[in-house]
Amino acid sequence: MSGIGQLRCPREGESRPLTVARVIERFAPAYWERYGSRMRLEQRKALQAILQCRTPALGGHRYACGCGHEHHAFHSCNHRLCPRCGAADTQEWVRKQLGKLLPVPYYLVTFTVPSELRSVMLGNRQAMELLMGCSARALNELLADPARGCRFDHAGFFGVYQSWTQDMRFHPHVHYVVPAVGLDERWKLKHPKSPKFLIHAQPLAIRLRTLLTNALRDHGPIRDELFWKLAKTDWNADVDRAGNGENAVKYLGQYIRCSVISDHRILGLEENRVRIRIKNRDTGAFESRIMDGVEFVRRFLLHALPDRFHRIRYRGFLHARGKPRLLWLQLLLDAKLQPPPESTPVHGREIACPRCGGPMRKIKKMPRAPPAHRNEHFFHAVAA
């Protein structure tokens, strides 16, 4: 049986491809021995989820085929840092955002945190929340400023928090996708003065510096000495044209789930080292780089997000409460938005038998292991 909506079980004796998850599994014991006592809670949760993903610890189902072959399908952990999970959620998010695009030019606005603040942001949910809030406020204020050329009393955009570079170093920054359209206070349609320009980047960087440094000092993450150092530092912001917005949405879709590094960038294992592929941002050429295996795991887990921190934020008419303004904009722009094609639900897919290719039926449910047994399995895995 073949076609869309079908999942194939691995064939007997089929070799496992080299993946991010396999690299983490191989070097997790050495990483635990070196850094286990210094791990943050969210890092330990991420490592435990990755090591237990699609294993008997999380339970699963047993399937049988008419030819007599049986297959065990174990459940996924669905952790947002797990390299095995999240693909379906990412595709669904991209599909929904593409269905909301307006027939106007789009821009990609990026705010980057200076190096002096990276240690403050690492694992600090309060500092991350302040970054998201202050960057959105800076963008919203300058879009509403008539001296800047827009005067959007009601703007709309969404942002995605990202914290990694090509070689997985911690580098926190926020991307915003901004449509070049808005409403004034009387809900009349407003466009930028120039169809090829939205706003200057430097005022955005200066405004973020003012808002974020004051907020961090008021809430305690930084002291006066660092505050005055940050006040004298040049901050970075970028405003790039993004066409009709489609490519920008697909680009940010890569960062929604498990995107620190993808499987196709793992080139090989060489004893205790990992060879990865990176893209040189200056030349645009791809290069290979060798990294210690334990260092690979350490950098990967740097990007484990604290509980209850949401990577994606919606503002203005793209927020759920701004739906009336979005509908009004669609009417004013005569936006004939076609609903995107429905995606195939995961639970509706069939599993194909690896032996004969026929459909397999579910015959038994395997429950999750008790928490004590799952913890025992985790400690056994990192102590192997």
Side-chain angles (χ1 to χ4, degrees), residues 86 90-91 93-94 158 160 247-257 259:
T90 297
Q91 293 175 3
W93 180 84
V94 170
F158 67 87
V160 177
N247 288 336
V249 170
K250 293 179 179 179
Y251 171 74
L252 293 184
Q254 303 173 28
Y255 304 124
I256 302 304
R257 297 288 296 270
S259 303

Side-chain angles (χ1 to χ4, degrees), residues 182-219:
L183 298 171
D184 65 11
E185 57 184 7
R186 297 184 178 180
W187 284 40
K188 291 184 178 180
L189 195 64
K190 297 290 293 184
H191 293 280
K193 291 182 179 180
S194 171
K196 298 182 179 180
F197 174 78
L198 180 70
I199 196 171
H200 287 291
Q202 191 58 27
L204 287 171
I206 295 174
R207 186 55 180 156
L208 175 63
R209 180 180 62 185
T210 301
L211 293 173
L212 186 55
T213 52
N214 285 325
L216 289 172
R217 185 175 66 169
D218 293 343
H219 291 82

Side-chain angles (χ1 to χ4, degrees), residues 235-280:
W235 289 40
N236 294 323
D238 295 292
V239 181
D240 300 312
R241 296 175 63 185
N244 62 1
E246 181 177 345
N247 288 336
V249 170
K250 293 179 179 179
Y251 171 74
L252 293 184
Q254 303 173 28
Y255 304 124
I256 302 304
R257 297 288 296 270
C258 62
S259 303
V260 179
I261 185 171
S262 53
D263 290 340
H264 73 273
R265 290 179 53 202
I266 305 295
L267 300 181
L269 292 176
E270 302 174 8
E271 296 182 353
N272 293 326
R273 298 179 298 176
V274 186
R275 182 179 292 273
I276 65 174
R277 185 179 69 175
I278 66 171
K279 184 176 183 180
N280 189 318

Side-chain angles (χ1 to χ4, degrees), residues 21 24-25 28 46-53 55 84 377-378 381-382:
I24 294 175
E25 290 171 358
L47 182 59
Q48 182 170 357
I50 293 170
L51 294 179
Q52 294 181 349
C53 185
T55 67
R84 295 187 182 100
H377 177 275
F378 168 65
V382 296

Side-chain angles (χ1 to χ4, degrees), residues 4 22 27 29 81 93 102 143 155 186 210 227 243 265 286 288:
I4 299 176
R22 284 190 61 193
F27 295 105
L81 195 67
W93 180 84
L102 297 170
L143 287 175
R186 297 184 178 180
T210 301
F227 170 83
R265 290 179 53 202
F286 289 99
S288 66

Side-chain angles (χ1 to χ4, degrees), residues 41-257:
L41 177 60
E42 60 267 22
Q43 290 179 312
R44 174 173 167 173
K45 288 182 177 180
L47 182 59
Q48 182 170 357
I50 293 170
L51 294 179
Q52 294 181 349
C53 185
R54 301 181 186 179
T55 67
L58 299 185
H61 293 87
R62 181 181 295 174
Y63 294 85
C65 178
C67 69
H69 180 73
E70 293 189 0
H71 171 69
H72 300 275
F74 298 115
H75 291 160
S76 301
C77 65
N78 205 33
H79 192 279
R80 53 185 170 179
L81 195 67
C82 178
R84 295 187 182 100
C85 305
D89 293 339
T90 297
Q91 293 175 3
E92 181 66 14
W93 180 84
V94 170
R95 186 185 68 86
K96 289 182 178 180
Q97 300 311 311
L98 292 178
K100 297 179 183 178
L101 293 179
L102 297 170
V104 298
Y106 275 76
Y107 290 83
L108 185 65
V109 179
T110 304
F111 293 95
T112 303
V113 171
S115 58
E116 292 84 356
L117 267 182
R118 292 174 189 169
S119 59
V120 177
M121 292 286 171
L122 185 59
N124 189 331
R125 182 191 167 202
Q126 183 185 47
M128 294 179 184
E129 295 283 1
L130 291 174
L131 171 62
M132 297 295 290
C134 291
S135 59
R137 179 180 170 186
L139 180 56
N140 198 56
E141 287 181 358
L142 269 67
L143 287 175
D145 187 353
R148 306 296 177 184
C150 292
R151 195 179 178 181
F152 295 162
D153 294 301
H154 301 291
F157 47 87
F158 67 87
V160 177
Y161 172 83
Q162 185 190 354
S163 61
W164 54 84
T165 61
Q166 282 280 300
D167 56 356
M168 303 193 297
R169 296 183 186 276
F170 186 70
H171 185 261
H173 53 285
V174 184
H175 295 291
Y176 287 101
V177 174
V178 187
V181 70
L183 298 171
D184 65 11
E185 57 184 7
R186 297 184 178 180
W187 284 40
K188 291 184 178 180
L189 195 64
K190 297 290 293 184
H191 293 280
K193 291 182 179 180
S194 171
K196 298 182 179 180
F197 174 78
L198 180 70
I199 196 171
H200 287 291
Q202 191 58 27
L204 287 171
I206 295 174
R207 186 55 180 156
L208 175 63
R209 180 180 62 185
T210 301
L211 293 173
L212 186 55
T213 52
N214 285 325
L216 289 172
R217 185 175 66 169
D218 293 343
H219 291 82
I222 65 173
R223 299 183 181 274
D224 289 345
E225 181 181 356
L226 180 56
F227 170 83
W228 290 113
K229 184 177 181 180
L230 291 170
K232 299 175 183 178
T233 302
D234 291 332
W235 289 40
N236 294 323
D238 295 292
V239 181
D240 300 312
R241 296 175 63 185
N244 62 1
E246 181 177 345
N247 288 336
V249 170
K250 293 179 179 179
Y251 171 74
L252 293 184
Q254 303 173 28
Y255 304 124
I256 302 304
R257 297 288 296 270

